[in-house]
Amino acid sequence: MTDIIVSFIIAVIVGLGIGGGGFFVIYLTLCMNYGQIIAQGTNLLFFLVSGISALFIHIRRKSVLSRELLFIIAVTLPATALGAHISDFTDPKIPTFFLGALLIISGIASAVRTVKAFIKEKNEKN
Amino acid sequence: MENKTAKRINGWKKWVIIAILSILAGCINGFVGTGGGIVIVYMLLFLDGGGEDGTKNAFAKTLVAVIPMSFVAFLVYLKNGNVDTELMGRVFIPATLGGIAGACLMYRIDKKWLTLIFSSLVIYSGVTLITRAL
């Protein structure tokens, strides 16, 4: 039951687009004692399921495809395959550390961006 | 400010920046199983400019880019036996419904407070993971 509730909440965060991509890895490693690499693999499948569902809603609302986006997709795919291969024969502590650092950076960047938006909104009101 | 940046970076420079950051995003997403979207969303915000609509559009575009990336990474992890498909069988329905609910809410709510709460949670999780890795 906990799995179901937690996965629903994390999927809502993924759909909202406020940086929920890593939460399922955190839940699996810190709460369910999964190994880092298997948590990453399971998170990818979880993200595909929740992300595709959210994508349908976004696509219905506006056209999101552009030349830049197609180029991004074409470039990221081989790089992703390379990264995924490397993770299989790396000490799991390295991706754990890397993910931790990435979360701190993205959390700070997101918080700074939001605070700036708050300040901008307040200045516009005054 | 963002629009000035978007105007300044044009032509081949823009494509070089996109290529470099896309390679970085792909490598991160494959290596860590997540995180590629962070690079892409900031790249799009930097190149396209901001504003409330621009931000929502950047999030939607990022989702479009991250799904094929995650699919490729997932295939590699699956091939190497690193996916718990049994757990996914249990959480498939809540994950689907949650994704739809989140995407619908995105256009209806002011996410600023939520973003601040989750940013704190993300930073805390990052510190916990680093402590565990050391």
Side-chain angles (χ1 to χ4, degrees):
Chain A
M1 191 63 191
T2 314
D3 288 347
I4 292 169
I5 295 166
V6 170
S7 58
F8 178 79
I9 295 168
I10 297 174
V12 171
I13 301 168
V14 169
L16 275 170
I18 52 173
F23 277 123
F24 203 60
V25 178
I26 295 159
Y27 170 66
L28 292 179
T29 52
L30 299 183
C31 306
M32 305 269 288
N33 288 321
Y34 272 56
Q36 181 66 26
I37 306 300
I38 197 160
Q40 290 178 191
T42 310
N43 175 66
L44 282 163
L45 182 55
F46 177 83
F47 180 80
L48 282 172
V49 173
S50 51
I52 287 172
S53 316
L55 189 62
F56 279 116
I57 304 294
H58 293 308
I59 285 178
R60 270 180 56 195
R61 285 184 173 266
K62 59 181 79 181
S63 167
V64 288
L65 278 179
S66 63
R67 220 158 41 118
E68 284 91 349
L69 197 59
L70 293 173
F71 180 70
I72 290 168
I73 293 169
V75 175
T76 52
L77 296 186
T80 305
L82 179 71
H85 274 298
I86 293 171
S87 75
D88 195 47
F89 51 83
T90 310
D91 181 347
K93 281 186 178 177
I94 298 171
T96 306
F97 183 86
F98 204 78
L99 178 61
L102 198 68
L103 288 174
I104 293 171
I105 293 166
S106 73
I108 292 171
S110 182
V112 168
R113 209 180 140 73
T114 312
V115 169
K116 275 185 181 173
F118 265 125
I119 294 168
K120 196 180 162 191
E121 202 178 277
K122 202 179 163 191
N123 288 341
E124 277 169 5
K125 274 181 191 169
N126 289 336
Chain B
M1 191 184 96
E2 289 96 336
N3 288 334
K4 277 183 191 168
T5 310
K7 277 181 192 167
R8 212 168 49 230
I9 301 169
N10 260 321
W12 65 272
K13 277 183 191 169
K14 179 178 160 183
W15 293 101
V16 170
I17 290 171
I18 293 176
I20 293 168
L21 292 177
S22 298
I23 291 170
L24 180 71
C27 287
I28 290 172
N29 214 65
F31 187 61
V32 190
T34 184
I38 297 164
V39 178
I40 291 177
V41 81
Y42 281 102
M43 172 172 72
L44 290 174
L45 287 171
F46 179 70
L47 293 172
D48 292 347
E52 185 72 8
D53 268 357
T55 305
K56 281 178 180 171
N57 207 18
F59 280 127
K61 280 182 174 178
T62 301
L63 202 56
V64 177
V66 173
I67 285 171
M69 243 200 286
S70 298
F71 184 67
V72 169
F74 161 70
L75 291 179
V76 177
Y77 277 79
L78 186 69
K79 184 178 150 270
N80 295 330
N82 289 323
V83 179
D84 184 352
T85 46
E86 201 186 299
L87 173 74
M88 275 315 295
R90 285 204 304 274
V91 302
F92 183 85
I93 293 172
T96 307
L97 296 177
I100 293 170
C104 291
L105 280 173
M106 187 186 187
Y107 294 95
R108 287 183 173 86
I109 60 166
D110 182 358
K111 296 186 300 175
K112 289 190 192 78
W113 285 108
L114 260 182
T115 307
L116 271 185
I117 294 165
F118 282 111
S119 299
S120 319
L121 199 61
V122 164
I123 295 167
Y124 172 76
S125 306
V127 172
T128 312
L129 283 178
I130 286 183
T131 314
R132 222 174 88 134
L134 292 174

Coordinates of all heavy atoms in Angstrom, one line a residue, chain A residues 34-112:
Chain A
Y34 N 17.0 -0.5 -1.8 CA 17.4 -1.1 -3.1 C 18.8 -0.7 -3.3 O 19.3 0.4 -2.8 CB 16.5 -0.4 -4.2 CG 15.2 -1.2 -4.5 CD1 14.3 -1.4 -3.5 CD2 15.0 -1.6 -5.8 CE1 13.1 -2.1 -3.8 CE2 13.8 -2.2 -6.1 CZ 12.9 -2.5 -5.1 OH 11.7 -3.1 -5.4
G35 N 19.5 -1.4 -4.2 CA 20.9 -1.0 -4.6 C 20.7 0.2 -5.5 O 19.7 0.3 -6.2
Q36 N 21.8 1.0 -5.6 CA 21.7 2.2 -6.4 C 21.3 2.0 -7.9 O 20.5 2.6 -8.4 CB 23.0 3.0 -6.3 CG 23.1 4.3 -7.0 CD 22.1 5.4 -6.5 OE1 21.8 5.3 -5.3 NE2 21.7 6.3 -7.3
I37 N 22.0 1.0 -8.5 CA 21.9 0.8 -10.0 C 20.5 0.3 -10.3 O 19.8 0.7 -11.2 CB 23.0 -0.1 -10.5 CG1 24.4 0.5 -10.2 CG2 22.9 -0.2 -12.0 CD1 24.7 1.9 -10.7
I38 N 20.0 -0.7 -9.5 CA 18.6 -1.2 -9.8 C 17.6 -0.2 -9.5 O 16.5 -0.1 -10.2 CB 18.4 -2.6 -9.0 CG1 17.2 -3.3 -9.7 CG2 18.2 -2.4 -7.5 CD1 17.1 -4.8 -9.4
A39 N 17.8 0.7 -8.5 CA 16.9 1.8 -8.2 C 16.8 2.8 -9.4 O 15.8 3.2 -9.8 CB 17.3 2.6 -7.0
Q40 N 18.0 3.0 -10.0 CA 18.0 3.9 -11.2 C 17.3 3.3 -12.4 O 16.5 4.0 -13.0 CB 19.5 4.1 -11.6 CG 20.3 5.0 -10.6 CD 21.7 5.2 -11.0 OE1 22.5 5.7 -10.1 NE2 22.1 4.9 -12.1
G41 N 17.5 2.0 -12.6 CA 16.8 1.3 -13.7 C 15.3 1.3 -13.5 O 14.5 1.6 -14.4
T42 N 14.8 1.0 -12.3 CA 13.4 1.0 -12.0 C 12.8 2.4 -12.1 O 11.7 2.6 -12.5 CB 13.2 0.4 -10.5 OG1 13.9 -0.8 -10.5 CG2 11.7 0.1 -10.3
N43 N 13.6 3.4 -11.6 CA 13.1 4.8 -11.7 C 12.9 5.2 -13.2 O 12.0 5.9 -13.5 CB 14.2 5.7 -11.1 CG 13.8 7.2 -11.3 OD1 12.8 7.6 -10.7 ND2 14.6 7.9 -12.1
L44 N 13.8 4.7 -14.1 CA 13.6 5.0 -15.5 C 12.2 4.5 -16.0 O 11.5 5.2 -16.7 CB 14.7 4.4 -16.3 CG 16.1 5.2 -16.2 CD1 17.2 4.3 -16.7 CD2 16.0 6.5 -17.0
L45 N 11.9 3.3 -15.6 CA 10.6 2.7 -16.1 C 9.5 3.5 -15.4 O 8.5 3.8 -16.1 CB 10.5 1.2 -15.7 CG 9.3 0.5 -16.1 CD1 9.0 0.6 -17.6 CD2 9.4 -1.0 -15.8
F46 N 9.6 3.9 -14.2 CA 8.6 4.6 -13.4 C 8.4 6.0 -14.1 O 7.3 6.4 -14.4 CB 9.0 4.9 -12.0 CG 8.1 5.7 -11.2 CD1 6.9 5.2 -10.6 CD2 8.3 7.1 -11.0 CE1 6.1 5.9 -9.9 CE2 7.4 7.9 -10.3 CZ 6.3 7.3 -9.8
F47 N 9.5 6.6 -14.5 CA 9.5 7.9 -15.1 C 8.8 7.8 -16.5 O 8.0 8.7 -16.9 CB 10.9 8.5 -15.3 CG 10.8 9.9 -16.0 CD1 10.5 11.0 -15.2 CD2 11.1 10.0 -17.3 CE1 10.4 12.2 -15.9 CE2 11.0 11.2 -17.9 CZ 10.6 12.4 -17.2
L48 N 9.1 6.7 -17.2 CA 8.4 6.6 -18.6 C 6.9 6.5 -18.4 O 6.2 7.1 -19.2 CB 9.0 5.3 -19.2 CG 10.4 5.4 -19.9 CD1 10.8 4.0 -20.3 CD2 10.3 6.4 -21.1
V49 N 6.5 5.7 -17.4 CA 5.0 5.5 -17.2 C 4.4 6.8 -16.9 O 3.4 7.3 -17.5 CB 4.7 4.4 -16.2 CG1 3.3 4.4 -15.8 CG2 5.2 3.1 -16.6
S50 N 4.9 7.5 -15.8 CA 4.3 8.7 -15.3 C 4.5 9.9 -16.3 O 3.6 10.7 -16.6 CB 4.8 9.1 -14.0 OG 6.2 9.1 -13.9
G51 N 5.7 9.9 -17.0 CA 6.0 11.0 -17.9 C 5.2 10.9 -19.2 O 4.7 12.0 -19.6
I52 N 4.9 9.7 -19.7 CA 4.2 9.6 -20.9 C 2.7 10.0 -20.7 O 2.1 10.7 -21.5 CB 4.2 8.2 -21.5 CG1 5.6 8.0 -22.1 CG2 3.2 7.9 -22.6 CD1 5.9 6.6 -22.6
S53 N 2.2 9.7 -19.5 CA 0.8 10.1 -19.1 C 0.7 11.6 -19.1 O -0.3 12.2 -19.6 CB 0.4 9.5 -17.8 OG 0.8 8.2 -17.6
A54 N 1.7 12.2 -18.5 CA 1.7 13.7 -18.4 C 1.8 14.3 -19.8 O 1.2 15.3 -20.1 CB 2.8 14.2 -17.5
L55 N 2.7 13.7 -20.6 CA 2.9 14.2 -21.9 C 1.7 14.4 -22.8 O 1.5 15.3 -23.5 CB 4.0 13.3 -22.6 CG 4.5 13.8 -23.9 CD1 5.3 15.1 -23.7 CD2 5.4 12.8 -24.6
F56 N 0.8 13.4 -22.7 CA -0.5 13.4 -23.4 C -1.2 14.7 -23.1 O -1.8 15.3 -24.0 CB -1.3 12.2 -23.1 CG -0.9 11.0 -23.9 CD1 -0.4 9.9 -23.3 CD2 -1.0 11.0 -25.3 CE1 0.0 8.8 -24.0 CE2 -0.6 9.9 -26.1 CZ -0.1 8.8 -25.4
I57 N -1.2 15.1 -21.8 CA -2.0 16.3 -21.4 C -1.3 17.5 -22.0 O -1.9 18.4 -22.6 CB -2.0 16.4 -19.9 CG1 -2.6 15.1 -19.2 CG2 -2.7 17.7 -19.4 CD1 -4.1 14.9 -19.5
H58 N 0.1 17.6 -21.9 CA 0.8 18.7 -22.5 C 0.6 18.9 -24.0 O 0.4 20.0 -24.5 CB 2.3 18.6 -22.1 CG 2.6 18.7 -20.7 ND1 2.1 19.7 -19.9 CD2 3.3 17.9 -19.8 CE1 2.5 19.6 -18.7 NE2 3.2 18.4 -18.6
I59 N 0.7 17.7 -24.7 CA 0.6 17.8 -26.1 C -0.8 18.2 -26.6 O -1.0 19.0 -27.5 CB 1.0 16.4 -26.8 CG1 2.5 16.2 -26.7 CG2 0.5 16.3 -28.2 CD1 3.0 14.9 -27.2
R60 N -1.8 17.8 -25.8 CA -3.2 18.3 -26.1 C -3.3 19.8 -26.0 O -4.1 20.4 -26.6 CB -4.2 17.6 -25.2 CG -4.7 16.3 -25.7 CD -5.7 15.6 -24.7 NE -6.8 16.5 -24.4 CZ -7.6 16.3 -23.4 NH1 -7.4 15.3 -22.6 NH2 -8.6 17.1 -23.2
R61 N -2.5 20.3 -25.1 CA -2.7 21.8 -24.8 C -1.9 22.7 -25.8 O -2.3 23.7 -26.1 CB -2.3 22.1 -23.3 CG -3.3 21.6 -22.4 CD -2.9 22.0 -21.0 NE -4.0 21.7 -20.1 CZ -5.0 22.5 -19.8 NH1 -4.9 23.7 -20.2 NH2 -6.0 22.1 -19.0
K62 N -0.7 22.2 -26.1 CA 0.0 23.1 -27.0 C 1.1 22.2 -27.8 O 1.4 21.2 -27.4 CB 0.7 24.2 -26.3 CG 1.7 23.8 -25.2 CD 2.3 25.0 -24.6 CE 1.4 25.6 -23.6 NZ 1.9 26.8 -22.9
S63 N 1.5 22.8 -29.0 CA 2.4 22.1 -29.8 C 3.8 22.3 -29.1 O 4.2 23.4 -28.9 CB 2.4 22.6 -31.2 OG 3.5 22.2 -31.9
V64 N 4.5 21.2 -28.8 CA 5.8 21.4 -28.1 C 6.9 21.0 -29.0 O 8.1 21.3 -28.7 CB 5.8 20.6 -26.8 CG1 5.0 21.2 -25.7 CG2 5.5 19.1 -27.0
L65 N 6.7 20.4 -30.1 CA 7.8 20.0 -31.0 C 8.4 21.2 -31.8 O 7.7 22.0 -32.3 CB 7.3 18.9 -32.0 CG 7.2 17.5 -31.5 CD1 6.7 16.5 -32.5 CD2 8.6 17.0 -30.9
S66 N 9.7 21.2 -31.9 CA 10.4 22.2 -32.6 C 11.6 21.6 -33.2 O 12.0 20.5 -32.8 CB 10.7 23.4 -31.7 OG 11.6 23.0 -30.7
R67 N 12.3 22.4 -34.1 CA 13.6 21.9 -34.7 C 14.6 21.7 -33.6 O 15.3 20.7 -33.6 CB 14.1 23.0 -35.7 CG 14.6 22.5 -37.0 CD 14.6 23.6 -38.0 NE 15.0 24.9 -37.5 CZ 16.0 25.6 -37.9 NH1 16.8 25.1 -38.9 NH2 16.3 26.8 -37.5
E68 N 14.7 22.6 -32.7 CA 15.7 22.5 -31.6 C 15.4 21.2 -30.8 O 16.4 20.5 -30.4 CB 15.6 23.7 -30.6 CG 16.2 25.0 -31.2 CD 15.2 25.8 -31.9 OE1 14.1 25.3 -32.2 OE2 15.5 27.0 -32.2
L69 N 14.2 21.0 -30.5 CA 13.8 19.8 -29.7 C 14.2 18.5 -30.4 O 14.7 17.6 -29.7 CB 12.3 19.9 -29.3 CG 11.9 19.0 -28.2 CD1 12.7 19.4 -26.9 CD2 10.4 19.1 -27.9
L70 N 13.9 18.4 -31.7 CA 14.3 17.2 -32.4 C 15.8 17.0 -32.4 O 16.3 15.9 -32.3 CB 13.7 17.3 -33.9 CG 12.2 17.2 -34.0 CD1 11.7 17.5 -35.4 CD2 11.6 15.9 -33.5
F71 N 16.5 18.1 -32.5 CA 18.0 18.0 -32.5 C 18.5 17.5 -31.1 O 19.3 16.7 -31.0 CB 18.6 19.4 -32.8 CG 20.1 19.5 -32.8 CD1 20.8 18.8 -33.8 CD2 20.8 20.1 -31.8 CE1 22.2 18.9 -33.8 CE2 22.2 20.2 -31.8 CZ 22.9 19.5 -32.8
I72 N 17.9 18.1 -30.1 CA 18.2 17.7 -28.7 C 18.0 16.2 -28.5 O 18.9 15.5 -28.0 CB 17.4 18.5 -27.7 CG1 17.8 20.0 -27.6 CG2 17.5 17.9 -26.3 CD1 16.8 20.9 -26.9
I73 N 16.8 15.7 -29.0 CA 16.5 14.3 -28.9 C 17.6 13.4 -29.6 O 18.1 12.5 -29.1 CB 15.1 14.0 -29.4 CG1 14.1 14.6 -28.4 CG2 14.8 12.5 -29.4 CD1 12.6 14.7 -29.0
A74 N 17.9 13.8 -30.8 CA 18.9 13.1 -31.6 C 20.2 13.0 -31.0 O 20.9 12.0 -31.0 CB 19.0 13.7 -33.0
V75 N 20.7 14.1 -30.4 CA 22.0 14.2 -29.7 C 22.0 13.4 -28.4 O 23.0 12.7 -28.1 CB 22.5 15.6 -29.5 CG1 23.8 15.7 -28.8 CG2 22.6 16.3 -30.9
T76 N 20.9 13.5 -27.6 CA 20.9 12.9 -26.3 C 20.9 11.4 -26.3 O 21.4 10.8 -25.4 CB 19.7 13.4 -25.4 OG1 18.5 13.2 -26.2 CG2 19.9 14.8 -25.0
L77 N 20.3 10.8 -27.3 CA 20.1 9.4 -27.3 C 21.4 8.5 -27.2 O 21.5 7.7 -26.4 CB 19.2 8.9 -28.5 CG 17.7 9.4 -28.4 CD1 16.9 8.8 -29.6 CD2 17.1 9.2 -27.1
P78 N 22.3 8.8 -28.2 CA 23.6 8.0 -28.0 C 24.3 8.3 -26.7 O 24.9 7.4 -26.1 CB 24.4 8.4 -29.3 CG 23.8 9.6 -29.8 CD 22.3 9.6 -29.4
A79 N 24.3 9.6 -26.3 CA 25.0 10.0 -25.0 C 24.3 9.2 -23.9 O 25.0 8.8 -22.9 CB 24.9 11.5 -24.9
T80 N 23.0 9.1 -23.9 CA 22.3 8.4 -22.8 C 22.7 6.9 -22.8 O 23.0 6.4 -21.7 CB 20.8 8.5 -23.0 OG1 20.4 9.8 -23.1 CG2 20.0 7.9 -21.9
A81 N 22.8 6.3 -24.0 CA 23.2 4.9 -24.0 C 24.6 4.7 -23.4 O 24.8 3.8 -22.7 CB 23.1 4.4 -25.5
L82 N 25.5 5.6 -23.8 CA 26.8 5.6 -23.3 C 26.8 5.7 -21.7 O 27.5 4.9 -21.0 CB 27.7 6.7 -23.9 CG 29.1 6.8 -23.5 CD1 29.9 5.7 -24.0 CD2 29.7 8.1 -23.9
G83 N 26.1 6.7 -21.2 CA 26.0 6.9 -19.8 C 25.5 5.7 -19.0 O 26.0 5.2 -18.0
A84 N 24.5 5.0 -19.6 CA 23.8 3.9 -19.0 C 24.8 2.7 -19.0 O 24.8 1.9 -18.0 CB 22.5 3.5 -19.8
H85 N 25.6 2.5 -20.1 CA 26.6 1.4 -20.1 C 27.6 1.6 -19.1 O 28.0 0.7 -18.4 CB 27.2 1.4 -21.5 CG 26.5 0.5 -22.5 ND1 26.2 -0.8 -22.3 CD2 25.8 0.9 -23.7 CE1 25.5 -1.3 -23.3 NE2 25.2 -0.3 -24.1
I86 N 28.1 2.9 -19.0 CA 29.2 3.2 -18.0 C 28.7 2.9 -16.6 O 29.4 2.3 -15.7 CB 29.6 4.7 -18.1 CG1 30.3 4.9 -19.4 CG2 30.6 5.1 -17.0 CD1 30.6 6.3 -19.8
S87 N 27.4 3.2 -16.3 CA 26.9 3.0 -14.9 C 26.9 1.5 -14.5 O 27.0 1.2 -13.3 CB 25.5 3.6 -14.8 OG 24.6 2.7 -15.4
D88 N 26.9 0.6 -15.5 CA 26.8 -0.8 -15.1 C 28.1 -1.3 -14.6 O 28.1 -2.3 -13.8 CB 26.4 -1.6 -16.4 CG 25.9 -3.0 -16.0 OD1 25.2 -3.1 -15.0 OD2 26.4 -4.0 -16.6
F89 N 29.2 -0.8 -15.0 CA 30.5 -1.3 -14.4 C 31.2 -0.2 -13.5 O 32.4 -0.3 -13.4 CB 31.4 -1.8 -15.5 CG 31.7 -0.9 -16.7 CD1 32.6 0.1 -16.6 CD2 30.9 -1.0 -17.8 CE1 32.8 1.0 -17.6 CE2 31.1 -0.1 -18.9 CZ 32.1 0.8 -18.8
T90 N 30.4 0.7 -13.0 CA 31.0 1.7 -12.1 C 30.7 1.3 -10.6 O 29.6 0.7 -10.4 CB 30.4 3.1 -12.4 OG1 30.5 3.3 -13.8 CG2 31.1 4.2 -11.6
D91 N 31.5 1.7 -9.7 CA 31.2 1.5 -8.3 C 29.9 2.3 -8.0 O 29.8 3.5 -8.3 CB 32.4 2.1 -7.5 CG 32.2 2.0 -5.9 OD1 31.0 1.7 -5.5 OD2 33.1 2.2 -5.2
P92 N 28.9 1.7 -7.4 CA 27.6 2.3 -7.2 C 27.7 3.6 -6.4 O 26.8 4.5 -6.4 CB 26.7 1.3 -6.5 CG 27.4 0.0 -6.8 CD 28.8 0.2 -7.0
K93 N 28.8 3.7 -5.6 CA 28.9 5.0 -4.8 C 29.1 6.2 -5.7 O 28.7 7.3 -5.3 CB 30.1 4.8 -3.9 CG 29.9 4.0 -2.6 CD 31.0 4.0 -1.7 CE 30.7 3.2 -0.5 NZ 31.9 3.1 0.4
I94 N 29.7 6.0 -6.9 CA 29.9 7.1 -7.7 C 28.6 7.7 -8.2 O 28.4 8.9 -8.1 CB 30.9 6.8 -8.9 CG1 32.2 6.4 -8.3 CG2 31.1 8.0 -9.9 CD1 33.2 5.8 -9.3
P95 N 27.7 6.9 -8.9 CA 26.4 7.5 -9.2 C 25.6 8.0 -8.1 O 24.9 9.0 -8.2 CB 25.6 6.4 -10.0 CG 26.4 5.2 -9.8 CD 27.8 5.6 -9.4
T96 N 25.7 7.4 -6.9 CA 25.0 7.9 -5.7 C 25.5 9.3 -5.3 O 24.7 10.2 -5.1 CB 25.3 7.0 -4.5 OG1 24.9 5.6 -4.8 CG2 24.4 7.4 -3.3
F97 N 26.8 9.5 -5.3 CA 27.4 10.8 -5.0 C 27.0 11.8 -6.1 O 26.6 12.9 -5.7 CB 28.9 10.6 -5.0 CG 29.6 11.9 -4.6 CD1 29.8 12.2 -3.3 CD2 30.1 12.8 -5.6 CE1 30.5 13.4 -2.9 CE2 30.7 14.0 -5.2 CZ 30.9 14.3 -3.9
F98 N 27.1 11.4 -7.3 CA 26.8 12.3 -8.4 C 25.3 12.7 -8.4 O 25.0 13.9 -8.6 CB 27.0 11.5 -9.7 CG 27.3 12.4 -10.9 CD1 28.5 13.0 -11.1 CD2 26.3 12.6 -11.8 CE1 28.8 13.8 -12.1 CE2 26.5 13.5 -12.9 CZ 27.8 14.0 -13.1
L99 N 24.4 11.8 -8.1 CA 23.0 12.1 -8.0 C 22.7 13.1 -6.8 O 22.0 14.0 -7.0 CB 22.1 10.8 -7.8 CG 20.6 11.0 -7.6 CD1 20.0 11.7 -8.8 CD2 19.9 9.7 -7.4
G100 N 23.4 12.8 -5.7 CA 23.3 13.7 -4.5 C 23.7 15.1 -4.9 O 23.0 16.1 -4.6
A101 N 24.8 15.2 -5.6 CA 25.3 16.6 -6.0 C 24.4 17.2 -6.9 O 24.0 18.4 -6.8 CB 26.7 16.4 -6.6
L102 N 23.9 16.4 -7.9 CA 22.9 17.0 -8.9 C 21.6 17.5 -8.2 O 21.1 18.5 -8.6 CB 22.6 15.8 -9.8 CG 21.9 16.2 -11.2 CD1 23.0 16.9 -12.0 CD2 21.4 15.0 -11.9
L103 N 21.2 16.7 -7.2 CA 19.9 17.1 -6.5 C 20.2 18.4 -5.7 O 19.3 19.3 -5.7 CB 19.5 16.0 -5.5 CG 18.9 14.8 -6.2 CD1 18.6 13.7 -5.1 CD2 17.6 15.1 -6.9
I104 N 21.3 18.6 -5.1 CA 21.6 19.8 -4.3 C 21.6 21.0 -5.3 O 21.0 22.0 -5.1 CB 22.9 19.7 -3.6 CG1 22.8 18.6 -2.5 CG2 23.3 21.0 -3.0 CD1 24.1 18.2 -1.8
I105 N 22.3 20.8 -6.4 CA 22.5 21.9 -7.4 C 21.1 22.3 -8.0 O 20.7 23.5 -8.0 CB 23.4 21.5 -8.6 CG1 24.9 21.4 -8.0 CG2 23.4 22.6 -9.7 CD1 25.8 20.7 -9.0
S106 N 20.3 21.2 -8.3 CA 19.0 21.6 -9.0 C 18.0 22.1 -7.9 O 17.2 23.0 -8.2 CB 18.4 20.3 -9.6 OG 17.9 19.4 -8.7
G107 N 18.1 21.7 -6.7 CA 17.3 22.2 -5.6 C 17.6 23.6 -5.3 O 16.6 24.5 -5.3
I108 N 18.9 24.0 -5.3 CA 19.2 25.4 -5.0 C 18.8 26.3 -6.2 O 18.2 27.3 -6.0 CB 20.8 25.5 -4.8 CG1 21.1 24.8 -3.4 CG2 21.2 27.0 -4.8 CD1 22.6 24.7 -3.1
A109 N 19.1 25.8 -7.5 CA 18.7 26.5 -8.7 C 17.2 26.8 -8.7 O 16.8 27.9 -9.0 CB 19.2 25.8 -9.9
S110 N 16.5 25.7 -8.4 CA 15.0 25.9 -8.4 C 14.5 26.8 -7.4 O 13.6 27.7 -7.6 CB 14.4 24.5 -8.2 OG 13.1 24.5 -8.3
A111 N 15.1 26.7 -6.2 CA 14.7 27.6 -5.1 C 15.0 29.1 -5.4 O 14.2 30.0 -5.2 CB 15.4 27.2 -3.8
V112 N 16.2 29.3 -6.0 CA 16.6 30.7 -6.3 C 15.7 31.3 -7.4 O 15.2 32.4 -7.3 CB 18.1 30.7 -6.9 CG1 18.5 32.0 -7.5 CG2 19.1 30.4 -5.7

